[in-house]
Amino acid sequence: MKMTIGERIKAARKQAGMTQQELADRLGISYVGISNWESGKRKPKQETLERIAAVLDVPLGVLTNTHYMGEMELSEFVNRAWPRADHHLKEARQEGDPEEIERWERMCAELLKIKDEIVREHNRLPEQEEVLLEAFRRLNPKGQQKILDLVSDYAKIPEYLSPNGD
C-alpha cells in the first residue's frame, strides 16, 4: 500500500523525534496545519514541502515519493539520522521512559539494518561472478590453477574481451 504525503510527513517527523507542535514551531505555523496534513485533510504546497524536508533533514523525495534514494543518498541519510536517534535513545534511558526507550531502540535497530543492507549490496558481486566464484571454490588447488590458466589465455583473445576492458 502506498503511503500518502501526510503519512510520509508523520513518519519523517517521528523519525526526527519531533512532536507536531515542535514541527509547527520550526515552520512558524499552527500545529493544526501539521495535523491536517498528516491526517490527509489537506496537502502542503510544494514550497512548504521543501521547508518541511529541510526542517526534518530528509530529502524532498522522501516526502513526495517522487525520488528513488540511491545507495549514496540513503547512506548519507542514515549517517545523519543515526546520531540523532542514538541521542534520543540516551535521553530516553536517562529519563527511564520504557515506551520511549523501546521506540528509539527500534529506530536505531532499523537504521542499522538499512546500513547493513547498503554494505551488503555494495559488496555484492554480479550474479555471473558469484556463480564462477562458487564453482572455483569447489575445485582443488590443481583445478583452480587450470581455471586461472584458461582465464588468462581467454583474456588475451580480442573476440572475448569486453569493449571497455573490464
Side-chain angles (χ1 to χ4, degrees), residues 3-16 18 20 23 27 33-39 42-45 48-49 52-53 56 58 60 62-64:
M3 287 177 74
T4 66
I5 288 176
E7 290 168 331
R8 287 190 291 275
I9 291 170
K10 182 177 183 177
R13 175 182 58 77
K14 287 186 170 213
Q15 185 276 325
M18 285 188 199
Q20 288 182 342
L23 178 57
L27 294 170
I34 307 292
S35 177
N36 284 337
W37 296 333
E38 291 184 1
S39 67
R42 299 192 71 185
K43 288 185 181 178
K45 296 177 183 171
T48 306
L49 276 171
I52 295 168
L56 297 177
V58 296
L60 179 60
V62 168
L63 302 180
T64 61

Side-chain angles (χ1 to χ4, degrees), residues 10-107:
K10 182 177 183 177
R13 175 182 58 77
K14 287 186 170 213
Q15 185 276 325
M18 285 188 199
T19 64
Q20 288 182 342
Q21 185 63 59
E22 289 168 329
L23 178 57
D25 291 345
R26 298 275 308 269
L27 294 170
I29 65 169
S30 162
Y31 82 91
V32 175
I34 307 292
S35 177
N36 284 337
W37 296 333
E38 291 184 1
S39 67
K41 292 178 184 169
R42 299 192 71 185
K43 288 185 181 178
K45 296 177 183 171
Q46 180 66 28
E47 55 271 13
T48 306
L49 276 171
E50 291 168 8
R51 290 178 49 224
I52 295 168
V55 167
L56 297 177
D57 195 23
V58 296
L60 179 60
V62 168
L63 302 180
T64 61
N65 200 28
T66 58
H67 171 78
Y68 168 77
M69 271 209 252
E71 182 181 293
M72 183 63 78
E73 189 175 17
L74 185 57
S75 181
E76 288 172 5
F77 172 73
V78 170
N79 288 337
R80 285 192 319 267
W82 173 258
R84 284 193 309 229
D86 189 50
H87 172 76
H88 287 294
L89 176 58
K90 287 175 184 169
E91 282 183 342
R93 285 182 175 151
Q94 285 177 345
E95 294 170 7
D97 182 345
E99 287 182 15
E100 282 297 298
I101 292 170
E102 182 184 347
R103 175 179 170 218
W104 288 108
E105 282 177 341
R106 274 195 324 270
M107 182 62 67

Side-chain angles (χ1 to χ4, degrees), residues 105-122:
E105 282 177 341
R106 274 195 324 270
M107 182 62 67
C108 288
E110 286 298 315
L111 289 169
L112 285 176
K113 241 174 26 180
I114 293 168
K115 186 73 168 180
D116 288 347
E117 184 62 28
I118 292 168
V119 169
R120 251 191 320 282
E121 281 298 314
H122 183 72

